Amino acid sequence: MQQGGNVERRTILKAAGASLAVAGLGATATACGGGSGSGDGTVTIRYSWWGADDRAERINKTIALFEKKYPKIKVKTDFQPYLDFWKKFNTQASGGNPPDVFQNAIGFLRKYDAKNVLLDLSEQVKAGNLSMDGFRAGLDKFGEIDGKLLGVPVGSNSMALVIDKPVYTRAGVTAEQGWTWDDFDEAMARIRDRTGRAGDSGMYGVMYLYDLYLRQHGKAFFTEDGLGFTEADLTEWWTKAEKGVKSGVYADPKKVAQIKPKSALSAELAGSEFTWDNFTVRYTSEGKSEYGLAPIPTTDGKKTGQYLGSLMLSASKRTQHPKEVAQFIHFMVHDPEVAKIMGYDRGVPATQAQYDAYQPTDPVNKAIAAYEESLVKAGVLEPITPHPGGADICESAFLRIAEELALGKRSVDEAVKQFFTESKTALAG
């Protein structure tokens, strides 16, 4: 995964997670026009994704393999940074000209299904053009919404605590599966007191971590219809954030903003940072220390609320070539050679065949694989919370308002009221 970028990219990476898992910078290869056919029976499909140049290089290699196996199917490509991708996609979808197949995330499934944009791939499964067998840890159900198959996972990731291992050692802190939030709070204070560094970069703007915290308490960030928590819940969460900054257990938000796009962890402002496990590679690239993955703290010593998130491939309801699109998706999620090319660029491969085909040799990716295996063995994984239409807007609002709160531009009460006001509008749309 390519590192570096701008402030906007770093901010999005910190908080948005599976649905934002691989935002990046990159050149744009523009493809125009709908899927087409030719006199010799060859058809052309359009494939769009968000990501950086290195992702494009990998994907183009996988497309070359696909076109070799399916010489009658040609693939036009289009890739852009995350925000630019969705701006263009919205324009294309509104104009009735979305790409035939595209990278997607769970926060967008209900939104675009409601807009009649997404193809239900169930019929292609029945026709034998796409298999949903062989997926790891229940990921085959990840793209199902209201009985429709709207997305097929290409990789998995889960929330983790990335730690500066030497800092944790110096502080005498050991993070083990089943540790509690009280243990975590004590560890943050110990890191501050024994190393002179904040314990954490400040996790209260990380929506997907808050979702886990809510799930530990029998709630969730989203329900199928809206938000699954109250203003009082969020007030408690953000009040603790404010106190943590004042006491020095969380990094100074102003300093964190100043060093962006570098992370507070790799910039040695904090001893740890909550993020998606497959982002670990960025810290090794940015920082000088040794980094590791630690478990999510719990409320009761057992339930973490975790699930495997995933990027996925979705298809346009307007495609003229549903069979060929399904064959393309099948190839991309099942072919072992694709896994060898893509590695963990989009998370740990979603199917067992691809997982087995790519065996990482570097310490960082080996640690990512081991972490996800540990989650399966610990039995902590649960189904992901459904996301309603408008979830993507709520997510962006949470990130932005949390940052305004951190920088002192809003009080906790103002921030909470603003978030619920914006979310109410988004979820009503």
Side-chain angles (χ1 to χ4, degrees):
M1 179 169 138
Q2 180 170 313
Q3 305 303 331
N6 54 24
V7 173
E8 176 182 72
R9 174 174 177 265
R10 165 63 190 147
T11 303
I12 288 174
L13 279 178
K14 177 68 173 77
S19 63
L20 308 180
V22 279
L25 301 175
T28 302
T30 304
C32 300
S36 59
S38 65
D40 65 355
T42 300
V43 302
T44 299
I45 59 175
R46 293 161 52 216
Y47 173 32
S48 298
W49 68 89
W50 66 81
D53 290 335
D54 56 344
R55 168 170 296 174
E57 291 173 6
R58 293 172 186 268
I59 287 179
N60 284 331
K61 289 179 182 178
T62 67
I63 289 173
L65 288 180
F66 173 78
E67 290 181 338
K68 185 176 181 180
K69 182 173 181 179
Y70 295 90
K72 293 293 186 180
I73 307 175
K74 303 301 178 186
V75 183
K76 282 188 176 182
T77 63
D78 184 12
F79 75 99
Q80 298 174 60
Y82 181 84
L83 292 179
D84 292 339
F85 171 89
W86 287 112
K87 287 177 184 176
K88 183 171 184 178
F89 184 85
N90 283 329
T91 300
Q92 292 172 324
S94 297
N97 187 37
D100 296 277
V101 60
F102 55 94
Q103 188 170 284
N104 205 353
I106 193 168
F108 299 92
L109 291 185
R110 287 186 185 275
K111 175 178 181 175
Y112 288 108
D113 182 41
K115 293 178 181 290
N116 211 30
V117 172
L118 303 180
L119 177 68
D120 181 359
L121 290 161
S122 300
E123 292 302 316
Q124 294 303 318
V125 174
K126 293 177 184 177
N129 299 319
L130 168 64
S131 173
M132 294 305 294
D133 294 334
F135 282 81
R136 299 171 42 245
L139 284 167
D140 55 310
K141 303 296 183 184
F142 192 80
E144 288 187 5
I145 298 289
D146 301 329
K148 293 179 283 189
L149 180 60
L150 302 179
V152 180
V154 295
S156 69
N157 53 15
S158 191
M159 288 297 297
L161 180 65
V162 183
I163 66 171
D164 185 319
K165 294 171 75 173
V167 167
Y168 266 57
T169 298
R170 291 203 307 272
V173 172
T174 302
E176 298 178 323
Q177 190 76 40
W179 69 328
T180 66
W181 286 105
D182 288 340
D183 296 332
F184 174 77
D185 292 340
E186 182 180 333
M188 296 302 97
R190 188 177 299 177
I191 290 171
R192 176 199 62 193
D193 296 341
R194 296 188 179 183
T195 71
R197 189 182 301 187
D200 190 80
S201 63
M203 74 271 199
Y204 291 88
V206 186
M207 190 199 89
Y208 284 93
L209 178 67
Y210 186 43
D211 185 30
L212 300 191
Y213 182 81
L214 289 168
R215 286 160 65 97
Q216 291 177 18
H217 290 81
K219 300 185 178 183
F221 197 98
F222 290 118
T223 66
E224 290 187 13
D225 303 314
L227 298 177
F229 60 101
T230 66
E231 290 190 21
D233 293 327
L234 185 55
T235 298
E236 178 186 358
W237 181 254
W238 276 344
T239 296
K240 190 172 181 181
E242 205 169 48
K243 290 179 178 177
V245 170
K246 290 178 180 176
S247 69
V249 295
Y250 304 128
D252 182 343
K254 293 183 175 63
K255 291 182 179 179
V256 173
Q258 288 170 359
I259 55 92
K260 289 178 180 178
K262 199 170 187 178
S263 73
L265 177 59
S266 55
E268 300 183 359
L269 294 178
S272 55
E273 181 166 289
F274 287 96
T275 188
W276 296 96
D277 56 17
N278 65 318
F279 286 176
T280 312
V281 65
R282 80 177 297 246
Y283 300 100
T284 302
S285 174
E286 288 181 354
K288 300 176 182 178
S289 192
E290 183 183 359
Y291 305 97
L293 291 166
I296 298 295
T298 68
T299 299
D300 61 2
K302 298 177 182 178
K303 182 182 175 70
T304 67
Q306 282 175 276
Y307 44 81
L308 292 182
S310 179
L311 289 176
M312 62 188 77
L313 295 179
S314 291
S316 165
K317 204 168 190 176
R318 288 178 174 266
T319 182
Q320 298 175 25
H321 309 293
K323 176 182 177 181
E324 289 80 5
V325 164
Q327 290 173 324
F328 177 78
I329 294 175
H330 176 92
F331 182 85
M332 289 299 169
V333 300
H334 288 284
D335 188 89
E337 294 304 313
V338 169
K340 294 177 183 178
I341 293 170
M342 294 304 300
Y344 287 178
D345 179 83
R346 296 177 298 193
V348 179
T351 57
Q352 193 65 43
Q354 289 197 340
Y355 180 86
D356 292 340
Y358 176 70
Q359 296 294 324
T361 56
D362 63 291
V364 174
N365 282 312
K366 287 174 72 173
I368 294 170
Y371 177 72
E372 293 205 5
E373 287 176 1
S374 74
L375 298 180
V376 174
K377 290 178 181 177
V380 298
L381 294 174
E382 305 171 5
I384 192 169
T385 306
H387 284 46
D392 57 319
I393 300 174
C394 296
E395 189 174 318
S396 297
F398 190 85
L399 169 62
R400 172 175 46 78
I401 295 168
E403 186 169 42
E404 291 171 353
L405 169 64
L407 293 173
K409 297 178 180 179
R410 293 182 186 274
S411 68
V412 171
D413 287 344
E414 289 171 342
V416 170
K417 285 183 171 57
Q418 184 65 29
F419 173 74
F420 272 81
T421 298
E422 293 189 25
S423 295
K424 185 177 180 180
T425 300
L427 296 169

